[in-house]
């Protein structure tokens, strides 16, 4: 085994001490710091063209990736292993009065000793077996392992039978501008250096799956994430005549009851089951208070997938939305009739039916009804909307659908289903290709060799359970699945665009071997030192050696 703990720990602390909260200038500072670190390596002094500080493309913020490679001399080969890890972190506001030391592990640990801490946190603090601070776990500790290995092979290229490429990417915690921009450099180097990318290793963090879980996990693929969204229209009315209209909030509530926590919308695959969908926003779109019911509502849900495509999800959610719509109308009728019995008013049959459209269906219907009048207006509208910097992609999408609805000839209540954010594709690693088989075999061999050096079980699972940049180095979806994303995102081509062909052009099998710890994204974020800074780099090294042999 490599005797690397002290070196990886030192690099981790150096990285952590540069605050790099996503969407701040800290990302630029962190990239610059890493670039300075690497350019001092003798290898990059001799080969400066093997190291780049690359600005992200089509990004509103100035920030950078650091991308570098070492060519081995043990055997001349185009085979290349990619090491990837993000340099940004989530914010530090949760540290409250300790914000000023959140990125200084030694000072933070000293400050914690005068704080009242949960018992397990205090135990870890006093054990000298854990490192605290923002980013130690997610994921500067993992990035430090990669930097250590790049340095190791830059000093010993005679032990490397191929090439080792590092991507230290920004913006993982928000919109993945970093990895999507890095793909363009990878494509350039693939052509100019004839690289054949045979494996990628991410070093994002791992944590217990349940209380008392002693396992340390390695993941062979990653979960996919979608943000299915619904623009819901009702029939406005004065609140004093509430049964003369249909409140879109009522429809939204029934829709959320149908979708939220629904285990039948959990995409079980290979014996593993992701969390079911849950709402992340639910609101009406009234700009101010009135005694008129809302014209429309908006709701979106987190949706994890392992094997379903974006098209599968649209089909399933359209079906469940129809169920919710039907149930809402039944409840409305039941309550309206009961009210009429109490009040003596005459019941009038309701004029509404279940109507659920995907955005693709809705958009095509408007083109058929209105032709160029509609398309020209929407082009002008979206161009103008792009100037509103206060709108994120999710609200931008809602405003586009809201405007398009004005062209609908039949304005009876309806639900419009669409995607309103970045799709992070799912990745399956099952051994279906020769490259996948080689990577799985190398991973199994690495675990078998390193396990005797660590007391807790090192266990392999199929899907990394958190959103990560692993999603953008390979694609398991077919073209129909990707088209379902493009054609059902109202912001596509204006506020939002992803060149999925870049992903297909790289398309490398990817695994995740990362530091172990607790409370990522929380104020007691910490990494277990022995596993994170000694076992992890050795596991990664064994995979590199095996797959390049």
């Amino acid at each position: 085994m490599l005797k690397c703990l002290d070196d990886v720990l030192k690099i981790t602390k150096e990285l952590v001490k540069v605050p790099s909260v996503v969407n701040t200038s800290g990302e630029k500072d962190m990239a610059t710091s890493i670039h300075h670190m690497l350019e001092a390596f003798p290898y990059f002094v001799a080969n400066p063209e093997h190291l780049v500080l690359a600005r992200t493309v089509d990004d509103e913020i100035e920030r950078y990736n650091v991308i570098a490679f070492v060519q081995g001399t043990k055997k001349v080969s185009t085979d290349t292993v990619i090491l990837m890890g993000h340099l940004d972190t989530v914010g530090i506001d949760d540290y409250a009065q300790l914000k000023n030391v959140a990125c200084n592990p030694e000072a933070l640990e000293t400050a914690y000793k005068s704080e009242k801490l949960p018992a397990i946190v205090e135990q870890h603090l006093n054990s000298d077996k854990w490192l605290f601070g923002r980013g130690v776990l997610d994921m500067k500790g993992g990035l430090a392992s990669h930097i250590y290995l790049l340095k190791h092979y830059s000093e010993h290229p005679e032990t490397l039978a191929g090439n080792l490429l590092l991507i230290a990417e920004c913006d993982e915690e928000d919109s993945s501008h970093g990895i999507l921009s890095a793909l363009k450099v990878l494509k350039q180097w693939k052509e100019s250096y004839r690289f054949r990318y045979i494996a990628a290793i991410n070093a994002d963090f791992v944590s217990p799956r349940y209380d008392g879980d002693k396992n340390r996990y390695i993941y062979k693929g990653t979960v996919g994430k979608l943000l299915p969204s619904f623009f819901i229209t009702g029939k406005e009315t004065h609140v004093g005549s509430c049964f003369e209209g249909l409140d879109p909030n009522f429809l939204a509530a029934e829709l959320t009851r149908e979708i939220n926590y629904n285990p039948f919308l959990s995409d079980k695959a290979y014996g593993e089951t992701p969390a079911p969908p849950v709402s992340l926003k639910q609101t009406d779109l009234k700009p101010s208070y009135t005694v008129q019911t809302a014209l429309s509502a908006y709701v979106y849900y987190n949706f994890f997938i392992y094997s379903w495509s974006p098209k599968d999800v649209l089909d399933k959610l359209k079906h469940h939305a129809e169920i919710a719509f039907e149930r809402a109308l039944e409840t409305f009728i039941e309550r309206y009739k009961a009210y009429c019995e109490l009040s003596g008013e005459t019941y009038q049959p309701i004029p509404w039916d279940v109507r659920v459209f995907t955005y693709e269906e809705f958009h095509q219907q408007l083109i058929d009804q209105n032709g160029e009048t509609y398309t020209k207006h929407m082009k002008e509208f979206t161009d103008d909307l792009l100037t509103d910097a206060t709108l994120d992609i999710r609200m931008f999408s809602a405003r586009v659908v809201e405007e398009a609805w004005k062209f609908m000839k039949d304005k009876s209540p309806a639900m419009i289903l669409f995607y309103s954010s970045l799709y992070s594709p799912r990745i399956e690693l099952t051994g279906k290709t020769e490259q996948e088989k080689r990577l799985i075999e190398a991973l199994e061999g690495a675990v078998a060799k390193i396990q005797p050096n660590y007391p807790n079980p090192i266990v392999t699972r199929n899907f990394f359970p958190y959103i990560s940049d692993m999603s953008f180095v390979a694609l398991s979806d077919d073209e129909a699945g990707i088209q379902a994303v493009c054609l059902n995102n109202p912001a596509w081509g204006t506020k939002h665009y992803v060149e999925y062909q870049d992903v297909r052009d790289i398309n490398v099998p990817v695994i995740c071997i990362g530091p172990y710890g607790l409370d990522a994204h929380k104020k007691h974020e910490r990494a277990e030192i022995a596993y994170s800074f000694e076992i992890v780099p050795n596991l990664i090294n064994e995979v590199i050696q095996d797959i390049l042999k």
Side-chain angles (χ1 to χ4, degrees):
M1 287 203 359
L2 297 170
K3 301 301 182 183
C4 58
L5 190 152
D6 290 342
D7 289 338
V8 178
L9 184 59
K10 180 175 181 289
I11 296 170
T12 300
K13 290 179 179 180
E14 288 179 17
L15 298 180
V16 171
K17 286 180 179 178
V18 181
S20 54
V21 174
V22 68
N23 296 329
T24 71
S25 61
E27 289 185 279
K28 176 183 174 182
D29 296 339
M30 185 76 264
T32 302
S33 178
I34 293 171
H35 185 262
H36 286 335
M37 183 189 301
L38 299 189
E39 68 180 356
F41 295 178
Y43 178 91
F44 293 114
V45 172
N47 301 279
E49 70 278 10
H50 293 185
L51 169 65
V52 297
L53 181 67
R55 185 171 178 175
T56 53
V57 298
D58 299 323
D59 196 353
E60 298 171 351
I61 300 173
E62 182 185 356
R63 50 191 166 190
Y64 297 83
N65 297 316
V66 181
I67 310 174
F69 70 90
V70 169
Q71 289 181 310
T73 59
K74 183 177 182 180
K75 181 182 72 173
V76 176
S77 172
T78 58
D79 286 357
T80 304
V81 173
I82 299 168
L83 304 180
M84 55 187 292
H86 67 87
L87 56 81
D88 59 318
T89 73
V90 295
I92 58 173
D93 287 345
D94 51 337
Y95 284 86
Q97 78 278 12
L98 300 181
K99 279 174 61 174
N100 63 321
V101 293
C103 298
N104 186 325
E106 292 91 347
L108 179 63
E109 289 172 17
T110 298
Y112 274 153
K113 289 180 179 178
S114 55
E115 295 276 312
K116 183 172 176 58
L117 302 171
I120 186 63
V121 176
E122 186 171 11
Q123 178 185 331
H124 288 167
L125 180 67
N126 294 325
S127 71
D128 294 326
K129 295 180 180 179
W130 296 79
L131 184 69
F132 287 75
R134 175 58 78 232
V136 297
L137 181 61
D138 186 16
M139 64 163 284
K140 292 181 178 180
L143 185 55
S145 289
H146 285 344
I147 291 173
Y148 168 84
L149 289 168
L150 190 76
K151 183 174 189 291
H152 171 79
Y153 283 110
S154 75
E155 295 169 348
H156 304 284
E158 73 281 359
T159 65
L160 184 66
N163 311 293
L164 192 63
L165 187 152
L166 169 71
I167 308 171
E169 77 269 15
C170 59
D171 190 34
E172 190 267 359
E173 296 289 1
D174 188 358
S175 300
S176 294
H177 280 101
I179 189 63
L180 291 170
S181 299
L183 293 177
K184 299 188 182 300
V185 176
L186 263 59
K187 287 175 65 175
Q188 292 169 5
W189 285 359
K190 181 179 180 181
E191 183 175 341
S192 56
Y193 294 104
R194 315 306 300 171
F195 285 160
R196 188 169 78 99
Y197 301 122
I198 61 171
I201 304 172
N202 191 30
D204 219 331
F205 78 96
V206 300
S207 287
R209 295 179 53 240
Y210 51 85
D211 287 344
D213 186 4
K214 302 297 184 183
N215 297 327
R216 307 299 189 254
Y217 293 104
I218 294 172
Y219 295 94
K220 295 188 293 183
T222 188
V223 67
K225 179 187 181 298
L226 291 156
L227 196 74
S229 309
F230 289 85
F231 176 81
I232 302 169
T233 67
K235 177 67 174 75
E236 73 279 7
T237 185
H238 189 283
V239 293
S241 306
C242 59
F243 287 106
E244 292 180 10
L246 183 59
D247 180 9
N249 289 310
F250 180 65
L251 295 174
E254 194 61 56
L255 180 67
T256 294
R257 190 167 83 92
E258 175 66 21
I259 293 175
N260 251 28
Y261 307 115
N262 189 336
F264 297 105
L265 289 172
S266 292
D267 177 18
K268 184 175 182 178
Y270 304 105
E272 297 177 20
T273 307
V278 65
S279 66
L280 292 174
K281 188 179 187 68
Q282 184 167 316
T283 184
D284 65 44
L285 297 176
K286 285 176 68 171
S288 60
Y289 173 80
T290 70
V291 291
Q292 182 190 62
T293 58
L295 296 174
S296 57
Y298 182 40
V299 57
Y300 51 71
Y301 306 88
N302 184 77
F303 204 110
F304 289 133
I305 51 175
Y306 284 168
S307 64
W308 295 341
S309 74
K311 185 179 185 305
D312 294 333
V313 173
L314 286 177
D315 292 341
K316 292 175 188 296
L317 286 181
K318 183 177 180 182
H319 172 67
H320 282 273
E322 289 168 345
I323 292 172
F325 206 133
E326 179 68 38
R327 194 162 58 218
L329 291 180
E330 289 172 354
T331 302
F332 182 93
I333 291 170
E334 177 186 321
R335 293 179 180 180
Y336 181 23
K337 288 180 176 178
Y339 172 77
C340 288
E341 289 180 10
L342 287 171
S343 66
E345 292 187 11
T346 302
Y347 171 79
Q348 300 291 335
I350 65 170
W352 312 304
D353 296 311
V354 172
R355 294 208 306 163
V356 180
F357 306 101
T358 64
Y359 179 74
E360 182 181 2
E361 294 167 342
F362 169 66
H363 181 61
Q364 187 58 53
Q365 190 175 144
L366 294 181
I367 292 174
D368 294 343
Q369 290 176 358
N370 303 281
E372 189 177 347
T373 303
Y374 163 71
T375 55
K376 182 179 179 182
H377 173 83
M378 292 306 298
K379 172 68 166 60
E380 294 172 352
F381 175 80
T382 53
D383 286 348
D384 185 60
L385 200 63
L386 286 169
T387 64
D388 187 348
T390 66
L391 291 179
D392 66 11
I393 181 178
R394 292 156 286 276
M395 282 309 300
F396 181 94
S397 298
R399 294 303 179 193
V400 171
V401 181
E402 182 182 42
E403 185 70 15
W405 177 256
K406 296 175 182 178
F407 287 82
M408 194 73 164
K409 295 192 183 301
D410 181 0
K411 290 189 169 58
S412 301
M415 296 179 179
I416 314 298
L417 167 61
F418 55 96
Y419 292 126
S420 68
S421 191
L422 173 72
Y423 168 45
S424 298
R426 65 196 172 84
I427 294 179
E428 301 173 9
L429 188 70
T430 59
K432 59 182 176 294
T433 67
E434 189 59 37
Q435 280 193 356
E436 287 189 7
K437 289 177 186 175
R438 283 181 65 188
L439 181 53
I440 291 171
E441 289 170 0
L443 175 58
E444 291 172 347
V447 172
K449 185 172 182 178
I450 300 300
Q451 179 67 85
N453 299 282
Y454 186 72
N456 295 85
I458 302 172
V459 177
T460 301
R461 287 178 63 83
N462 288 297
F463 298 101
F464 183 64
Y466 313 114
I467 307 308
S468 80
D469 283 341
M470 294 168 68
S471 289
F472 299 105
V473 296
L475 270 182
S476 295
D477 288 310
D478 59 16
E479 189 58 29
I482 295 301
Q483 282 300 304
V485 172
C486 305
L487 297 176
N488 288 282
N489 188 322
W492 189 261
T494 54
K495 183 80 169 178
H496 177 64
Y497 180 74
V498 174
E499 185 56 78
Y500 285 107
Q501 187 56 47
D502 284 351
V503 183
R504 288 198 191 282
D505 290 343
I506 300 302
N507 211 37
V508 60
V510 59
I511 57 176
C512 183
I513 305 175
Y516 172 86
L518 300 168
D519 291 338
H521 294 204
K522 301 177 184 178
K523 66 180 179 180
H524 297 134
E525 177 178 351
R526 58 201 184 276
E528 183 195 56
I529 291 173
Y531 183 81
S532 301
F533 308 133
E534 183 169 44
I535 298 300
V536 164
N538 273 284
L539 284 166
I540 295 171
N541 185 55
E542 290 299 328
V543 173
I544 292 168
Q545 283 292 323
D546 194 312
I547 203 165
L548 287 177
K549 68 184 178 183

